[in-house]
Amino acid sequence: MPDPGGARAMLAGSVLRPLWLDSPRRPAPRPALTGADDGLAVPLVIVGGGFTGLWAAVRAKERDPARGVLLLEADRIAEHATGRNGGFCEASLTHGEANGRQRWPEEYDELERLGLRNLDEIAATIERHGIDCGFDRSGTLAVATRPHEVAALEPDVAGFLAAGEVRRVVDSPTYLGGRVSRDDCATLDPARLAWGLARVAEGLGVRIAEQTPVADVRTERGRVVVSTPHAQVHADQVVLATNVFRPLLRRLRLSIVPVYDYVLATEPLTAAQLGEIGWTDRVGISDTGNQFHYYRLTPDDRILWGGYDAVYHYGRSVDAGHEDRPATFETLARHFAETFPQLAGVRFTHRWAGAIDTCTRFCAFFGVTRGRRVAYATGFTGLGVGASRFGADVMLDLLAGADTERTRLRMVRTRPVPFPPEPLAWLGIQLTRWSLAHEDATGRRNLWLRLLDRLGLGFDS
């Protein structure tokens, strides 16, 4: 098969391993629960050790230092989505302004304020506890690479960058326009943030057990029984932070689908190579297509390059076998070469994939059940690095029965329309992916996409 642009050569020698997890800083695994823990009673159990669960643990202890908290992680901290994303920590709680204004126009300004405050508080936590995660609030650059995409960047509004101007920020022959946003996004090393949050949580008195999957959560005599392979834990309240994995609550099982996102990382670039593309401002970049790329510089001057090909596997399958997808990695490598032809000869050292918890409204939803004993947050659709902290506070508010500015939001009080069961889910998602690719190529939304728009439904990563 032809290999235009030498994509296979660029990928030769790369390892199938997330860059962030390929680090000597990775902590040793924490002990699992054992039979000696059977019957353990804890005021609050958190299921899931990604960002949502870690923030819930930290925030619970910050609210009530005396409260006992146990966090259960089925694998290792940061092993899945938390350690596999691009490290963009966005202020948006709504997957962007357009989605937020369309769904909650009457409260969008409040959602924007809360999102910016949430990002400020993440920054404050990182500084206060000395978490070394490369937090850099340089902002983002949105670029148009097709003529019909330029209009979305509002050329008549102050701040728009024409082709020549955007290429002075970062130089790619594909850029036709751009817009920089400075305060609403940071880049960071997500695994190091997670490891830092785990350290902070333990310093506050949280117990973390890794390699401890939860099979079932049930109520019994006014308490919640959390079943693990070697111990049953009795909790007053439970936070469910399992996100992309099969929900422990049956009511949520059609509400999300797992979508695989694929990422590459180059070898570290020299100062001369960075000079070739003029990337001296460490702004993160994304293009404005439906099938969009996101990319940024890492602290050691690699280019992390991901996105574009969001892949759903039949039956809501989450499996390590989905992570090595040569056709997708080669597509990403070709797109990189087209974007930065000045970097001919640069190789990729890492390739990986991770599953995203997608819902039909493109952003997280929340709830509480079992007599205010069990709370959940899921469906972050790619924005969990930042929005997970907000989600943790929402869950703790709901468990407390508190009337807060968060729980009063219609965004918090409503749920997305579920996806259909199979085979309709697979058929609908494939048709939607094809239609989105068609819109990227032509600039026109077809009948299927217009129908989804009217129904307030969608599919994204």
Side-chain angles (χ1 to χ4, degrees):
M1 179 181 290
D3 183 23
R8 292 176 194 161
M10 296 170 71
L11 291 162
S14 64
V15 295
L16 184 67
R17 187 179 309 137
L19 173 69
W20 312 121
L21 300 180
D22 191 12
S23 169
R25 298 190 184 198
R26 189 174 193 183
R30 293 164 174 84
L33 291 191
T34 68
D37 298 299
D38 193 38
L40 180 69
V42 185
L44 178 65
V45 171
I46 297 169
V47 182
F51 281 131
T52 307
L54 290 168
W55 278 118
V58 170
R59 294 294 295 131
K61 294 296 282 189
E62 288 177 339
R63 291 180 179 209
D64 181 0
R67 190 180 197 184
V69 179
L70 170 65
L71 187 152
L72 305 176
E73 164 56 38
D75 203 315
R76 293 177 66 184
I77 298 294
E79 177 63 34
H80 296 285
T82 290
R84 293 169 179 267
N85 59 79
F88 285 77
C89 185
E90 298 192 38
S92 178
L93 305 174
T94 61
H95 210 279
E97 181 177 354
N99 189 52
R101 288 197 182 278
Q102 178 186 358
R103 297 181 187 280
W104 305 286
E106 77 288 355
E107 64 186 25
Y108 179 75
D109 290 345
E110 176 74 353
L111 288 165
E112 183 178 42
R113 181 185 69 82
L114 290 171
L116 287 167
R117 188 179 74 185
N118 181 64
L119 183 56
D120 288 341
E121 290 169 343
I122 291 172
T125 299
I126 289 169
E127 182 176 4
R128 183 167 64 251
H129 293 287
I131 299 175
D132 179 14
C133 62
F135 186 87
D136 185 345
R137 203 163 175 173
S138 296
T140 55
L141 168 65
V143 296
T145 60
R146 302 178 181 91
H148 63 260
E149 294 172 355
V150 173
L153 295 175
E154 300 179 300
D156 299 328
V157 176
F160 174 77
L161 303 174
E165 296 171 307
V166 72
R167 291 184 66 174
R168 284 193 286 274
V169 180
V170 179
D171 186 14
S172 168
T174 66
Y175 294 170
L176 304 179
R179 183 173 290 277
V180 175
S181 300
R182 285 296 179 190
D183 297 326
D184 58 359
C185 185
T187 55
L188 49 77
D189 180 323
R192 280 160 51 188
L193 174 58
W195 299 333
L197 289 174
R199 171 181 59 80
V200 170
E202 289 177 320
L204 294 171
V206 175
R207 178 183 176 185
I208 298 176
E210 295 182 285
Q211 302 294 336
T212 305
V214 171
D216 181 55
V217 171
R218 69 182 188 277
T219 51
E220 188 176 286
R221 297 177 183 174
R223 305 198 80 187
V224 185
V225 180
V226 180
S227 298
T228 75
H230 302 292
Q232 291 196 341
V233 180
H234 298 264
D236 295 332
Q237 293 181 313
V238 171
V239 160
L240 297 179
T242 56
N243 294 325
V244 77
F245 292 98
R246 188 171 187 264
L248 292 166
L249 297 178
R250 185 176 298 276
R251 68 174 65 186
L252 300 179
R253 290 180 185 167
L254 294 180
S255 295
I256 60 169
V257 295
V259 179
Y260 274 82
D261 182 55
Y262 294 82
V263 194
L264 301 172
T266 70
E267 61 196 348
L269 301 186
T270 65
Q273 288 171 320
L274 285 174
E276 284 291 320
I277 57 177
W279 202 342
T280 56
D281 182 341
R282 302 186 73 84
V283 64
I285 305 174
S286 64
D287 55 52
T288 54
N290 294 308
Q291 293 179 293
F292 64 96
H293 306 84
Y294 56 83
Y295 40 115
R296 40 83 53 110
L297 294 173
T298 66
D300 61 350
D301 290 334
R302 302 169 187 267
I303 295 178
L304 180 146
W305 178 268
Y308 185 74
D309 201 7
V311 180
Y312 171 72
H313 295 275
Y314 188 90
R316 293 170 165 80
S317 174
V318 177
D319 190 280
H322 301 324
E323 293 171 14
D324 195 6
R325 200 165 192 266
T328 293
F329 291 130
E330 289 172 18
T331 296
L332 283 172
R334 286 194 297 272
H335 291 175
F336 178 91
E338 292 162 4
T339 301
F340 294 126
Q342 310 97 308
L343 298 180
V346 168
R347 301 275 184 130
F348 294 105
T349 60
H350 293 75
R351 67 189 196 280
W352 71 93
I356 294 170
D357 53 330
T358 293
C359 70
T360 58
R361 73 181 199 182
F362 303 149
C363 61
F365 62 97
F366 319 91
V368 65
T369 186
R370 311 283 176 87
R372 221 173 64 226
R373 295 185 185 93
V374 177
Y376 59 85
T378 191
F380 287 92
T381 316
L383 265 69
V385 179
S388 54
R389 184 188 182 281
F390 177 82
D393 270 324
V394 169
M395 287 188 288
L396 295 172
D397 287 349
L398 293 172
L399 288 174
D403 178 22
T404 69
E405 59 186 350
R406 289 178 288 265
T407 59
R408 287 191 293 270
L409 292 167
R410 190 163 67 87
M411 177 217 185
V412 168
R413 292 183 286 106
T414 58
R415 311 283 181 271
V417 175
F419 290 95
E422 299 291 15
L424 296 178
W426 190 88
L427 292 170
I429 289 170
Q430 301 315 310
L431 177 56
T432 303
R433 291 184 69 224
W434 180 88
S435 299
L436 292 171
H438 181 265
E439 183 187 14
D440 283 342
T442 65
R444 297 189 298 273
R445 291 181 78 76
N446 62 19
L447 287 172
W448 176 250
L449 293 180
R450 294 201 297 272
L451 173 63
L452 294 182
D453 290 342
R454 284 196 292 271
L455 296 174
L457 305 177
F459 169 79
D460 206 348
S461 66

